[in-house]
């Protein structure tokens, strides 16, 4: 996942922590871990093959790290371009924290994950970072999303960020 901990001259932005929002209700059973007891087979072959391709893996990780860094740069530029809008929303409500929703896509390109920027939204403001649950309700975070239907290799992702003044 890209690093969304970004700071500018006026703001500090970080991902939302688990304890800051209301937890959704549980869906039911957890994952099935019976695959751990399967006999040796293709998994071990793939593991041995991966050891032989270590140089290619290092190159792939470097390319992915550069691509993830591009998302952080995009977020920092968006915050700098919209500092006036964010400051105005904070002053209007006399709040000190704001919430952003970052929409991005994850696509596969020859085995590498590519992070593609989509859009950023200012969802609202809150008096403090401890009270962002008023903006990030479970309907906002886990409710239906109106998106275009991507191809099978692309997945749309959402990140919720909390920001405050420096």
């Amino acid at each position: 996942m890209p690093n969304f901990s970004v700071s500018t001259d006026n703001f500090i932005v970080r991902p939302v922590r688990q304890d800051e929002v209301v937890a959704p209700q549980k869906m039911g059973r957890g994952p099935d871990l019976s695959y751990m007891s399967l006999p040796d087979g293709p998994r071990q072959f793939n593991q041995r093959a991966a050891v032989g391709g270590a140089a290619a893996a290092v190159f792939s990780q470097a390319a992915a790290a550069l691509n993830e860094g591009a998302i952080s740069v995009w977020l920092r530029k968006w915050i700098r371009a919209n500092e006036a809008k964010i400051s105005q929303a904070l002053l209007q409500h006399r709040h000190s924290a704001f919430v952003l929703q970052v929409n991005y896509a994850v696509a596969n390109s020859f085995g590498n994950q590519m992070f593609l920027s989509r859009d950023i939204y200012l969802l609202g403001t809150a008096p403090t970072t401890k009270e962002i649950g008023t903006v990030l309700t479970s309907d906002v975070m886990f409710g239906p999303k109106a998106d275009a239907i991507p191809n099978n290799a692309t997945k749309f992702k959402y990140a919720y960020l909390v920001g405050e003044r420096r």
Side-chain angles (χ1 to χ4, degrees):
M1 183 169 144
N3 180 13
F4 289 116
S5 296
V6 172
S7 62
T8 63
D9 295 338
N10 297 329
F11 297 113
I12 298 172
V13 177
R14 62 172 172 77
V16 174
R17 289 192 311 257
Q18 191 87 22
D19 61 346
E20 292 177 330
V21 293
V22 179
Q25 293 183 353
K26 293 189 176 184
M27 297 291 288
R29 286 185 48 195
D32 181 19
L33 301 177
S34 63
Y35 72 92
M36 299 289 276
S37 62
L38 293 175
D40 288 350
R43 289 181 297 126
Q44 284 72 22
F45 175 77
N46 289 340
Q47 186 179 13
R48 289 190 299 270
V51 170
V58 167
F59 179 75
S60 174
Q61 288 176 351
L66 284 174
N67 188 252
E68 286 181 25
I71 291 285
S72 299
V73 170
W74 167 64
L75 174 62
R76 188 176 295 113
K77 285 187 177 187
W78 186 91
I79 292 172
R80 283 186 184 141
N82 291 290
E83 277 183 359
K85 178 182 172 184
I86 295 169
S87 295
Q88 181 182 6
L90 291 172
L91 287 174
Q92 181 180 6
H93 301 291
R94 294 188 177 134
H95 289 168
S96 64
F98 59 94
V99 179
L100 299 176
Q101 176 182 336
V102 177
N103 300 349
Y104 64 100
V106 179
N108 290 324
S109 172
F110 302 106
N112 288 337
Q113 281 191 336
M114 291 178 33
F115 296 91
L116 310 168
S117 57
R118 292 183 60 217
D119 211 348
I120 301 175
Y121 300 102
L122 176 63
L123 293 181
T125 62
T128 63
T129 56
K130 292 183 167 74
E131 299 172 10
I132 62 165
T134 59
V135 177
L136 287 178
T137 62
S138 58
D139 291 337
V140 170
M141 293 183 73
F142 306 108
K145 306 273 192 272
D147 270 331
I149 298 174
N151 60 18
N152 291 334
T154 304
K155 294 177 182 65
F156 290 155
K157 302 278 187 170
Y158 304 92
Y160 297 97
L161 311 177
V162 178
E164 57 188 339
R165 292 184 190 275
R166 266 191 180 245

